[in-house]
Amino acid sequence: MRNTAKIATAVLAAGALTLGLSACGSDKDSASDTSGPLIVAASPTPHAEILDFIKKNLAKKAGLDLEVKEFQDYIVPNTATEDGSVGANYFQNQPYLDDFNKKRGTHIVPVVTVHLEPLGLYSHKVKSADALKSGATVAVPNDAVNEARALKLLASKGLITLKDGVGTEATPQDISKNPKNLKFKEVEAAQTPRSLDDVDAAVVNGNYAISAGLEPAKDALVLESAKNNPYGNFLAVKKGNENDPRVKKLAKLLTSPEVKKFIEDKYAGSVIPSF
């Protein structure tokens, strides 16, 4: 199951990479030209929305020429940052980046943490997690970090128990107790909202939940706690580009009072400022 999911993800990523780099076109060396616009790869919601707010309201005054490129997946933003197609990205958290760098040999580093998107359990078939029947199927993201995060969320609510010492690569095989005999369907993270009609419940990343019209603060049966949460999303660049003056300007704007207010007003607790 996991191998099949990885192969499918690789195929999708290859197609997305071709499209992504075509979209960047002549911007191939954008990261090395600090006199040009800073091109940032971002997930559509909320990352690109936050960047668009900055572009429209704050960037000009700060002397920043900002260009936002949206990507639907979690792979191309890092590979495009690594090869210089874009100057930075904004979509991921530290455990995911650590795993990505380790497995793909990339050299992406965080610059500044901006917000948290609580992971949630959603369903079109039941109104509470307790109402899940024995043998119910739960969709979870198929990448290592987000799958482990999903399983930890379910464990924190008593739906399953994980083996002692399980880290950021937990899989369903690491479940020691499963009182409801839940079955797990591993799908690409972006597809988890679409799976809700086919499974009993799905664990969905916050950005994909919002993009699908879900309101995490209201609709989630179970929602991650923001307290001591290591999954804050940050602006990231290829190592060595941290001191790019454009990156420094964007980092300052991303953690400004104006952006904090924008996040709080627009997302009403479904996205939480981390600064």
Side-chain angles (χ1 to χ4, degrees):
M1 184 71 170
R2 170 169 285 273
N3 288 337
T4 301
K6 285 183 177 179
I7 292 170
T9 299
V11 172
L12 289 170
L17 179 59
T18 301
L19 291 173
L21 296 186
S22 296
C24 293
S26 61
D27 299 318
K28 178 70 177 174
D29 298 320
S30 64
S32 61
D33 179 12
T34 60
S35 64
L38 176 63
I39 304 173
V40 183
S43 298
T45 306
H47 309 79
E49 293 175 348
I50 294 170
L51 291 172
D52 285 338
F53 169 79
I54 290 174
K55 182 176 181 177
K56 293 174 184 177
N57 299 279
L58 305 174
K60 185 176 181 180
K61 185 177 180 180
L64 174 65
D65 186 0
L66 178 63
E67 185 175 338
V68 183
K69 289 193 177 294
E70 297 185 8
F71 292 87
Q72 293 287 348
D73 77 301
Y74 285 168
I75 297 173
V76 180
N78 274 337
T79 56
T81 303
E82 178 74 12
D83 70 21
S85 300
V86 301
N89 67 58
Y90 175 34
F91 77 100
Q92 65 192 320
N93 57 56
Q94 191 67 59
Y96 179 83
L97 176 59
D98 290 343
D99 181 73
F100 193 98
N101 279 336
K102 179 180 178 181
K103 291 180 176 178
R104 293 178 177 266
T106 46
H107 309 84
I108 312 300
V109 295
V111 176
V112 65
T113 301
V114 182
H115 74 268
L116 172 72
E117 303 160 24
L119 199 72
L121 176 69
Y122 301 85
S123 177
H124 286 171
K125 299 178 181 178
V126 298
K127 299 296 184 182
S128 70
D130 292 338
L132 287 170
K133 296 180 180 179
S134 178
T137 299
V138 179
V140 294
N142 66 4
D143 65 272
V145 171
N146 281 306
E147 181 171 54
R149 185 181 175 189
L151 294 174
K152 287 181 178 181
L153 171 65
L154 299 178
S156 73
K157 305 303 177 181
L159 292 170
I160 58 173
T161 300
L162 293 171
K163 296 174 184 177
D164 290 340
V166 169
T168 59
E169 294 188 356
T171 72
Q173 285 66 48
D174 295 306
I175 296 172
S176 59
K177 294 181 181 179
N178 187 357
K180 287 183 176 287
N181 193 30
L182 298 177
K183 295 177 172 42
F184 296 93
K185 181 178 181 179
E186 297 166 307
V187 301
E188 186 186 9
Q191 302 302 318
T192 50
R194 297 187 181 95
S195 73
L196 282 168
D197 289 331
D198 302 318
V199 297
D200 297 291
V203 180
V204 184
N205 290 75
N207 61 314
Y208 292 132
I210 296 168
S211 295
L214 297 167
E215 296 184 49
K218 295 180 180 179
D219 297 332
L221 307 183
V222 171
L223 194 64
E224 254 182 345
S225 170
K227 186 176 181 180
N228 299 321
N229 195 305
Y231 295 101
N233 283 207
F234 46 68
L235 178 70
V237 298
K238 185 176 182 179
K239 188 174 182 179
N241 293 336
E242 302 94 319
N243 292 321
D244 182 327
R246 302 168 302 169
V247 171
K248 287 187 171 182
K249 287 178 181 178
L250 180 56
K252 185 175 181 179
L253 293 177
L254 279 167
T255 53
S256 65
E258 293 89 345
V259 167
K260 183 175 183 179
K261 185 177 187 303
F262 172 78
I263 293 173
E264 291 173 340
D265 290 348
K266 183 172 180 63
Y267 302 109
S270 295
V271 178
I272 305 168
S274 297
F275 57 92

